[in-house]
Amino acid sequence: MNRTDGLVRRAVRNRDNGAEGGTAGNGLNANTPDDNQDMNQNNDHEDNIDDGDSKETRLTLMEEVLLLGLKDKEGYTSFWNDCISSGLRGCILIELGLRGRIMMEKSGMRRRGLCSSRKVILKSDQPTGDVLLDEALKHIKETNPPETVQSWIEYLSGETWNPLKLRYQLKNVRERLAKNLVEKGVLTTEKQNFLLFDMTTHPLSDNVVKCRLVRKIQDSVLSKWVNDPQRMDKRMLSLIFLAHASDVIENAFAPLNDDDYEVAMKRVRELLDLDFEAEAAKPNANEIIWASSRNSGNEFHSVKWMMEHIDPTSKSKKKAKLRAEEQLKRLNGYGCLKINPKEFNDYEFMIASHIVVPSDIPLSWEDIAGLDNVIQKLRESVVLPVRHRGLLSHSKLWQAPKGVRLHGPPGCGKTLIAKATAKEAGMRFINLDVPMLTDKWYGESQKLASAVFSLALKIQPCIIFIDEIGSFLRSRNANVYEATAMMKTQFMMLWDGLSTNNNIAVIAMGTTNRPQDLDKAIIRRMPAQFHIGLLNTEQRSQLLKLILESENVNSNVDYERLSQVTKGFSGSDLREMCRNASVFRMREFMRATDRSRSGAGSEDSQRDNNSELMVALTMDDLMKSYDKMKESKMHTGRLHFENRIELD
């Protein structure tokens, strides 16, 4: 291989003369057979960098990272990027490793850390044809004893406290790499005036080379993603790691649309979250890649570790993610739904921890009494359009409403109806915990609000249930905190976006007993409104029979009388009254049992015959419970009067 102007080696693939490349007078024949095999493999990597034209420009890892960081028109890197220096030094070590010049020392019998204690040793001192690489290779060769990867990154960048090691510093690396790119026709050289000084810049002259590089990185994490770092091209894997360590990876993903950008960054994070020690220990793994990538991105891992340990909610987030994975696994396959947990981001996992599988909902329409009219309307307007979406596929009107509001006094069954609706329609149920959407970090609440709807779309048909929606989406005013206002606005924007697609089966359902407090924009987004009021006499009688259906009830219980005296009682009040009556009856039974045990001459058979009668609920028990409930409601001002006007 040839040198061009003593600065760079330009590798040009030539099919006719391909055999001559391995026999050029560069000393390769002096290596051992194993070294020749390694060098051939590394040459294969270099020859397979691109799949395009045979005469396209070849770039080193250092040049590719710098090209990603350079601004196209301005011709210089960001003044705020202080990570690219160590990233470029990591590129040099990996490039030497890929070309078979250096390697990690053997771990021996005692297992030692890949990044902390194992040294970089020379494998071959043959020149590479690149001035920067050969200069670094010379320093490694002359150093005895060997140093670690982290030490070499510090030495080559000059960031060391040891004055004796400053001679290893590679100076003007960015400028020298830019001149290499100028020699290859990728960049050009210009002088720009920055008021106080003049600076040499290198704007882009060949946009094809950079576009090809950007497309290659995008394809590696999108269309050509293999989900296994050991199967990825080693050079491309190294480029992703080093571009992230140099804080330039987002420049490659900037042209993508929002969905592809999110997928690309998620897969890059998956690579960064790998156990580098375990990956380096796998067969055929290049340890130099993993060690250099880990140390080049040391700042990222240090900040990540610090954030995880400073954040007081980190443990709860981990528990939420485990619960979300469990719920998604149970949901997978339910109703022909196929879910891949790897497609969910961290925010969606937080929301997914509150998913309720329809089979886990213990309620149905049969468990609700006295609300037959409301249930019938819900079945016709919500359940049927969801169950039979394909009945009128061409119709733009045959669809469930995007928002359902259940309002009425407390304890009248609004939450029960919402759960039973999800059960009846076979829809997944997200029981949204509103405090979960609030986060101390600025902007995180908006991301969590966005995750609510993106998760619902992935698991549809789905009901997003918000209990007491008035506490979350009440009327906005000038006194609302900025972050809260932004979260509400984001929530309503995403909610309104559900109306654009008729095939989406996501319903936001909320309950409130103060509908007058809701924001007008929320009322507009909940076109289906159902009032769940207090029960009348006949409905209270039906509900009492349903509550006491499975209980041991005495024949003297008069349901008609109970339904008449409990005027103003909600369904929750009636259930509590029956529960208190059961407690009264059990208390009397236990006292009678204690007296019978203390008395002499009592017979066991007679006690057994009377026990069932003593446990049965009587009318007196229910009336005692009613009197206690009535007294409690009078003290709290919740007792219903004839002439009282119910605002709800």
Side-chain angles (χ1 to χ4, degrees):
M1 297 184 182
N2 302 322
R3 293 193 181 189
T4 303
D5 298 332
L7 290 174
V8 295
R9 180 192 62 178
R10 184 172 300 186
V12 179
R13 193 178 350 179
N14 192 327
R15 294 186 179 89
D16 297 333
N17 299 323
E20 297 179 4
T23 59
N26 55 4
L28 290 179
N29 293 331
N31 295 334
T32 62
D34 292 338
D35 289 340
N36 285 331
Q37 182 178 0
D38 292 337
M39 293 295 293
N40 290 335
Q41 291 177 353
N42 291 316
N43 289 334
D44 289 341
H45 280 298
E46 295 174 12
D47 291 339
N48 292 325
I49 294 175
D50 297 301
D51 297 329
D53 187 5
S54 61
K55 294 186 180 295
E56 68 182 29
T57 304
R58 303 295 176 81
L59 305 180
T60 63
L61 286 174
M62 303 88 72
E63 294 165 348
E64 289 177 331
V65 170
L66 181 65
L67 189 58
L68 286 174
L70 282 175
K71 299 180 180 180
D72 294 351
K73 296 182 180 180
E74 292 81 355
Y76 52 84
T77 59
S78 172
F79 293 117
W80 309 107
N81 189 346
D82 56 354
C83 302
I84 196 170
S85 178
S86 61
L88 290 175
R89 272 65 177 187
C91 291
I92 293 174
L93 294 178
I94 292 182
E95 190 74 49
L96 289 173
L98 290 174
R99 299 190 185 198
R101 301 308 195 272
I102 61 175
M103 61 182 293
M104 300 292 292
E105 68 172 347
K106 302 297 182 183
S107 58
M109 296 296 294
R110 179 180 297 180
R111 179 178 175 82
R112 292 189 289 176
L114 174 68
C115 306
S116 58
S117 59
R118 291 176 62 185
K119 313 295 184 181
V120 176
I121 61 176
L122 189 68
K123 185 177 180 181
S124 172
D125 60 353
Q126 297 298 322
T128 63
D130 185 280
V131 175
L132 279 174
L133 296 180
D134 289 342
E135 187 176 342
L137 187 63
K138 179 182 177 182
H139 292 324
I140 295 173
K141 178 182 178 181
E142 295 174 350
T143 303
N144 191 22
E147 298 285 354
T148 63
V149 169
Q150 178 63 36
S151 298
W152 274 118
I153 291 177
E154 294 174 356
Y155 296 161
L156 296 177
S157 60
E159 299 175 356
T160 176
W161 293 99
N162 189 346
L164 299 178
K165 302 296 184 181
L166 289 176
R167 62 188 180 92
Y168 294 143
Q169 180 182 2
L170 299 179
K171 299 180 179 180
N172 301 323
V173 171
R174 272 179 265 192
E175 182 64 25
R176 292 160 73 180
L177 289 173
K179 288 182 179 179
N180 290 354
L181 292 171
V182 171
E183 293 289 335
K184 295 181 179 181
V186 180
L187 304 179
T188 186
T189 303
E190 292 181 358
K191 290 281 188 180
Q192 291 193 22
N193 180 266
F194 288 87
L195 296 180
L196 300 179
F197 60 93
D198 293 334
M199 187 175 73
T200 301
T201 60
H202 300 281
L204 188 66
S205 62
D206 186 356
N207 192 41
V208 176
V209 176
K210 186 167 185 178
C211 289
R212 186 186 299 119
L213 173 63
V214 170
R215 186 175 65 251
K216 183 172 60 175
I217 297 175
Q218 294 173 356
D219 291 343
S220 66
V221 293
L222 293 174
S223 61
K224 297 181 180 179
W225 176 251
V226 294
N227 201 25
D228 182 4
Q230 299 299 330
R231 293 169 52 201
M232 291 183 66
D233 178 73
K234 290 182 173 58
R235 180 172 289 273
M236 177 52 61
L237 180 65
S238 305
L239 180 57
I240 292 174
F241 282 140
L242 295 167
H244 183 275
S246 303
D247 198 18
V248 297
I249 189 68
E250 292 193 5
N251 296 346
F253 298 151
L256 297 173
N257 58 50
D258 291 343
D259 294 337
D260 289 342
Y261 177 86
E262 184 177 350
V263 173
M265 291 303 298
K266 180 176 182 293
R267 288 172 176 172
V268 170
R269 287 193 295 268
E270 290 178 3
L271 292 175
L272 295 171
D273 290 336
L274 292 172
D275 186 347
F276 283 37
E277 299 277 352
E279 294 296 331
K282 292 182 179 180
N284 301 323
N286 191 317
E287 295 178 324
I288 284 289
I289 293 179
W290 296 101
S292 301
S293 301
R294 177 61 181 268
N295 286 280
S296 298
N298 207 23
E299 294 180 5
F300 166 78
H301 292 282
S302 299
V303 172
K304 180 180 177 182
W305 180 90
M306 183 177 65
M307 292 299 297
E308 288 181 352
H309 286 75
I310 289 179
D311 189 359
T313 62
S314 60
K315 291 184 178 179
S316 61
K317 289 180 179 178
K318 291 179 180 179
K319 291 181 180 179
K321 186 174 182 178
L322 291 176
R323 171 171 171 76
E325 291 176 348
E326 180 183 353
Q327 290 296 91
L328 290 174
K329 184 184 294 184
R330 295 186 57 225
L331 203 61
N332 197 6
Y334 184 89
C336 300
L337 179 66
K338 299 298 181 182
I339 295 177
N340 183 9
K342 294 183 179 180
E343 296 178 355
F344 294 82
N345 57 39
D346 293 339
Y347 301 100
E348 290 172 342
F349 271 121
M350 289 291 295
I351 306 299
S353 62
H354 294 268
I355 290 179
V356 180
V357 182
S359 59
D360 291 343
I361 300 176
L363 299 171
S364 62
W365 297 131
E366 287 74 17
D367 297 317
I368 302 176
L371 298 175
D372 297 338
N373 187 31
V374 176
I375 291 174
Q376 183 63 26
K377 292 180 180 179
L378 275 170
R379 180 182 283 115
E380 294 172 354
S381 61
V382 177
V383 177
L384 290 181
V386 173
R387 275 191 168 183
H388 306 284
R389 282 178 289 174
L391 189 61
L392 297 174
S393 57
H394 63 280
S395 175
K396 296 181 180 180
L397 301 178
W398 174 250
Q399 57 178 319
K402 301 302 180 183
V404 177
R405 187 184 78 187
L406 304 176
H407 61 95
C412 292
K414 298 184 292 295
T415 305
L416 293 178
I417 289 177
K419 293 180 179 179
T421 302
K423 176 80 170 184
E424 184 74 12
M427 303 178 71
R428 293 91 196 176
F429 193 82
I430 299 179
N431 189 13
L432 189 61
D433 187 9
V434 174
M436 179 184 59
L437 297 180
T438 58
D439 196 281
K440 63 180 181 180
W441 302 110
Y442 191 81
E444 292 295 294
S445 296
Q446 289 91 303
K447 294 179 181 178
L448 288 169
S450 176
V452 173
F453 292 93
S454 62
L455 173 65
L457 290 175
K458 291 178 180 179
I459 64 173
Q460 62 175 314
C462 177
I463 288 180
I464 302 173
F465 177 67
I466 310 173
D467 201 6
E468 299 298 338
I469 193 173
S471 63
F472 172 43
L473 297 172
R474 62 172 56 246
S475 298
R476 291 166 290 178
N477 53 53
N479 298 325
V480 176
Y481 184 56
E482 179 186 3
T484 305
M486 291 174 62
M487 180 179 65
K488 290 180 179 180
T489 303
Q490 176 82 357
F491 196 89
M492 288 189 289
M493 287 174 58
L494 294 167
W495 190 347
D496 202 39
L498 295 176
S499 304
T500 59
N501 191 343
N502 296 331
N503 296 323
I504 292 178
V506 176
I507 300 175
M509 183 177 291
T511 65
T512 181
N513 50 23
R514 297 184 62 85
Q516 65 273 14
D517 290 344
L518 291 179
D519 195 286
K520 293 181 179 179
I522 294 299
I523 296 176
R524 198 269 299 173
R525 286 168 171 80
M526 302 181 105
Q529 303 177 17
F530 300 91
H531 177 71
I532 315 297
L534 292 172
L535 303 177
N536 57 32
T537 303
E538 182 181 356
Q539 292 171 337
R540 290 195 296 273
S541 177
Q542 295 176 5
L543 182 57
L544 285 170
K545 292 178 182 178
L546 180 64
I547 294 173
L548 300 175
E549 183 180 22
S550 59
E551 304 297 324
N552 188 4
V553 182
N554 197 290
S555 57
N556 66 350
V557 173
D558 188 352
Y559 292 103
E560 295 298 329
R561 182 187 173 192
L562 286 174
S563 61
Q564 292 175 359
V565 299
T566 54
K567 186 174 183 178
F569 277 45
S570 65
S572 178
D573 293 334
L574 292 177
R575 187 175 186 83
E576 183 63 17
M577 184 188 75
C578 295
R579 189 193 67 81
N580 283 332
S582 177
V583 172
F584 292 156
R585 173 47 44 194
M586 184 57 65
R587 186 187 303 161
E588 292 295 330
F589 172 73
M590 297 303 296
R591 290 175 180 175
T593 303
D594 292 340
R595 287 196 300 268
S596 64
R597 288 177 178 175
S598 60
S602 60
E603 298 182 359
D604 294 340
S605 58
Q606 183 178 0
R607 189 187 319 130
D608 294 338
N609 292 333
N610 294 334
S611 61
E612 185 174 355
L613 294 175
M614 295 181 66
V615 174
L617 282 174
T618 63
M619 188 64 179
D620 291 338
D621 298 326
L622 291 168
M623 291 304 297
K624 288 180 182 178
S625 179
Y626 163 74
D627 293 336
K628 183 179 179 181
M629 290 284 296
K630 181 179 180 181
E631 181 182 359
S632 175
K633 291 173 72 69
M634 288 184 63
H635 287 308
T636 57
R638 295 187 297 117
L639 187 64
H640 178 82
F641 295 99
E642 281 292 334
N643 298 326
R644 180 179 176 180
I645 300 175
E646 290 289 347
L647 297 179
D648 292 330

